[in-house]
Amino acid sequence: MIMRFLHKFSSPPYFYSISGRLLPWLTLLFLALLAYGLYGGLVTAPADYQQGDSFRIIYVHVPAAWMSMFIYVVMAVSGAIGLIWRIKLAEIVSISSAPIGASFTLLALITGSLWGKPMWGTWWVWDARLTSELILLFLYLGVIGLYSAIEDNRTASRAVAILALVGVVNIPIIHYSVEWWSSLHQGPTVTKFAKPSIHIDMLIPLLVMAGAFKVYYAIALLLRCRNELVQREQGSRWLGEILENK
Amino acid sequence: MSADSLSNAFLSVVRRDLLLAYRHRAELINPLAFFVMVVTMFPLAVGADVELLRRIAPGVIWVAALLASLLSMDAIFRSDFEDGSLELMVMTPHPLSVLVLAKVTAHWLLSGLPLLLVSPLLAVMFDIESDVISVLLITLLLGTPVLSLIGAIAVALTVGLRKGGVLLAILVLPLYVPVLIFASGAVDAAASGLPVSGQLYMMSAMLFLAITLTPWPTAAALKMSLS
């Protein structure tokens, strides 16, 4: 049943038409979540008792950091699906995720250091989370670099899938080794978000923003996938029919 | 042991690679010279302060080992890919992952082991104490095979490309991070008189994990590069 649905969904024409119909609704949902999250985060949430208003950057920073890891896993899983069952759409999802994931990683790093300057007095500390986020960015860059270096799209997708799978096995190892490394070299210089409980008025906008980022990812992913699909399926009959009807 | 047994295939690939390398003896020295030179650059760059050098020496030696391994990595499948012997290896009845393991073994014997042999000398030049040197050697012994095994995946992915060099570094270096951290952590701990068994256990675990797991993605990547 699920497999049948997947097979249907993964056929390029079906995906193309259904994603086209989904996109406006997703955009609407994204705008609603974003508006509520930003209003809640920037206006109604109380200022932090220590950090004042600067803490509000977490409404961008934390969801971006969550997405950076989430997207890597999506990339690896869909890469594996493409590798095993040779589903074209899974390959496209995998490679289309990479630039989005890299952007979220970069966003998390930039917002983090913007927050770090007033809070810690420095743009960057070699702390475990920062370092492993930076390494995650390198992993994304490797994936993008490898994909663009191989000319044949399908071969490139398979190469990227292998690399992403190797990376996904490595990410926990890298993460924990980096954590262990920073705790050995220097005591925790700054404890971030170590408050035992976050106030509910702060938490709800954060979760809403996380939802908004997820929906944004879905939108960006669908757009990129459709674009990639059109490029790869040039000259196929279903695409010609769609374009003629427009 | 019959002529076409798996262990025989493994050994003959190792023997062949060693023989090929022996025929080009002069090339063997290159990664080693690179390793020594990179290490030499550091005192020139940061100054000849003995205390400072002793503190950074393990890290310097490890980063140099990382770069040297990266540099020699590119050659592991290149010539076999170009002259077609890699295709023959894929077509043999033996699993490609075992042959890959054989090639990596030969590569480590040719590039990792020499680093291991020359690094005590460098360590002495940096005035590291002798019991710290032994820890450094153990980390190199456990760590450099992991570097070769992980690097082989990335080389297999890029072997079909004309300009894989810089890309290889981007693919491989992030994956080297855990080895670097545990190795230099162990040496640091030894230098300040702390127990190092934890780090060494972790490195052994990574070595065995790498031996068992990495040949499969490498083999898959090679097949992809050949298709």
Side-chain angles (χ1 to χ4, degrees):
Chain A
M1 170 65 190
I2 294 172
M3 280 313 280
R4 217 168 57 216
F5 169 75
L6 277 182
H7 269 286
K8 196 176 168 199
F9 188 72
S10 64
S11 96
Y14 186 76
F15 170 80
Y16 194 85
S17 70
I18 198 100
S19 63
R21 260 178 285 157
L22 269 176
L23 270 172
W25 297 105
L26 285 177
T27 314
L28 221 61
L29 181 63
F30 166 66
L31 289 176
L33 286 176
L34 186 74
Y36 180 80
L38 280 182
Y39 183 76
L42 299 184
V43 181
T44 60
D48 186 78
Y49 75 102
Q50 275 183 326
Q51 307 180 2
D53 278 333
S54 327
F55 95 96
R56 293 182 199 278
I57 204 162
I58 67 163
Y59 293 112
V60 179
H61 175 72
V62 173
W66 283 342
M67 290 309 291
S68 68
M69 283 173 264
F70 173 77
I71 293 177
Y72 200 93
V73 175
V74 170
M75 190 172 79
V77 169
S78 57
I81 293 172
L83 209 58
I84 295 166
W85 288 291
R86 298 287 151 92
I87 296 177
K88 241 187 268 178
L89 193 68
E91 292 174 356
I92 293 179
V93 167
S94 175
I95 189 56
S96 304
S97 294
I100 310 174
S103 322
F104 275 123
T105 315
L106 194 62
L107 184 65
L109 284 171
I110 292 175
T111 51
S113 70
L114 285 180
W115 177 83
K117 185 65 186 168
M119 287 299 124
W120 302 340
T122 168
W123 296 108
W124 184 266
V125 291
W126 289 97
D127 156 273
R129 290 195 206 193
L130 280 77
T131 313
S132 52
E133 190 77 4
L134 185 64
I135 292 168
L136 184 65
L137 180 66
F138 294 156
L139 287 172
Y140 273 120
L141 291 184
V143 164
I144 297 170
L146 184 64
Y147 184 76
S148 58
I150 303 178
E151 269 175 33
D152 179 57
N153 277 336
R154 298 214 63 183
T155 318
S157 305
R158 281 163 65 201
V160 161
I162 294 173
L163 183 67
L165 283 173
V166 172
V168 105
V169 172
N170 254 290
I171 280 180
I173 302 179
I174 293 175
H175 182 79
Y176 285 108
S177 61
V178 167
E179 202 143 280
W180 184 88
W181 158 75
S182 74
S183 66
L184 181 90
H185 274 241
Q186 51 188 58
T189 31
V190 189
T191 37
K192 293 159 297 162
F193 312 121
K195 284 161 279 164
S197 62
I198 176 169
H199 193 278
I200 191 76
D201 285 344
M202 295 180 183
L203 183 64
I204 289 175
L206 183 62
L207 293 179
V208 171
M209 280 303 279
F213 273 47
K214 280 245 160 43
V215 178
Y216 174 78
Y217 166 57
I219 296 171
L221 183 65
L222 286 182
L223 284 173
R224 280 190 157 270
C225 285
R226 283 160 66 87
N227 188 20
E228 182 79 19
L229 203 60
V230 170
Q231 278 183 7
R232 286 198 190 188
E233 300 274 309
Q234 272 170 8
S236 69
R237 191 194 292 168
W238 65 267
L239 195 62
E241 282 168 6
I242 288 176
L243 293 181
E244 258 169 40
N245 290 342
K246 286 242 165 106
Chain B
M1 193 164 73
S2 67
D4 57 349
S5 75
L6 194 56
S7 50
N8 207 356
F10 181 89
L11 287 178
S12 56
V13 170
V14 173
R15 204 176 301 134
R16 166 182 170 277
D17 276 14
L18 292 183
L19 187 67
L20 277 174
Y22 183 69
R23 295 267 191 268
H24 300 273
R25 274 174 300 247
E27 286 175 22
L28 282 179
I29 207 77
N30 290 349
L32 205 58
F34 175 78
F35 176 59
V36 176
M37 282 179 199
V38 169
V39 174
T40 314
M41 292 301 132
F42 276 86
L44 299 180
V46 301
D49 177 13
V50 178
E51 278 304 310
L52 176 69
L53 288 179
R54 192 185 298 137
R55 240 196 70 57
I56 63 169
V60 167
I61 291 177
W62 254 99
V63 170
L66 226 64
L67 296 176
S69 137
L70 186 68
L71 199 74
S72 63
M73 231 30 244
D74 196 39
I76 183 169
F77 297 122
R78 174 77 56 197
S79 63
D80 285 352
F81 179 80
E82 277 164 3
D83 66 14
S85 28
L86 205 57
E87 277 176 51
L88 292 179
M89 281 184 208
V90 174
M91 278 190 276
T92 58
H94 303 294
L96 185 59
S97 49
V98 173
L99 302 182
V100 160
L101 198 57
K103 282 199 73 69
V104 175
T105 309
H107 178 265
W108 180 76
L109 288 173
L110 294 167
S111 67
L113 200 56
L115 297 191
L116 205 65
L117 297 178
V118 78
S119 46
L121 181 66
L122 292 172
V124 169
M125 286 163 74
F126 278 89
D127 194 30
I128 304 180
E129 292 160 38
S130 56
D131 45 342
V132 181
I133 294 183
S134 57
V135 173
L136 176 68
L137 287 186
I138 296 173
T139 61
L140 282 170
L141 181 67
L142 293 171
T144 45
V146 182
L147 301 185
S148 296
L149 286 161
I150 295 177
I153 304 174
V155 178
L157 286 169
T158 55
V159 71
L161 306 174
R162 235 167 276 119
K163 32 185 181 181
V166 184
L167 185 62
L168 185 67
I170 296 174
L171 298 186
V172 161
L173 284 177
L175 304 178
Y176 280 175
V177 166
V179 179
L180 180 67
I181 286 175
F182 282 106
S184 52
V187 184
D188 265 355
S192 37
L194 297 170
V196 293
S197 50
Q199 289 91 323
L200 296 184
Y201 286 140
M202 280 303 290
M203 291 194 71
S204 328
M206 285 195 283
L207 175 59
F208 287 108
L209 206 63
I211 290 177
T212 42
L213 291 183
T214 57
W216 276 284
T218 313
L222 279 179
K223 281 180 188 158
M224 178 223 77
S225 288
L226 286 169
S227 63

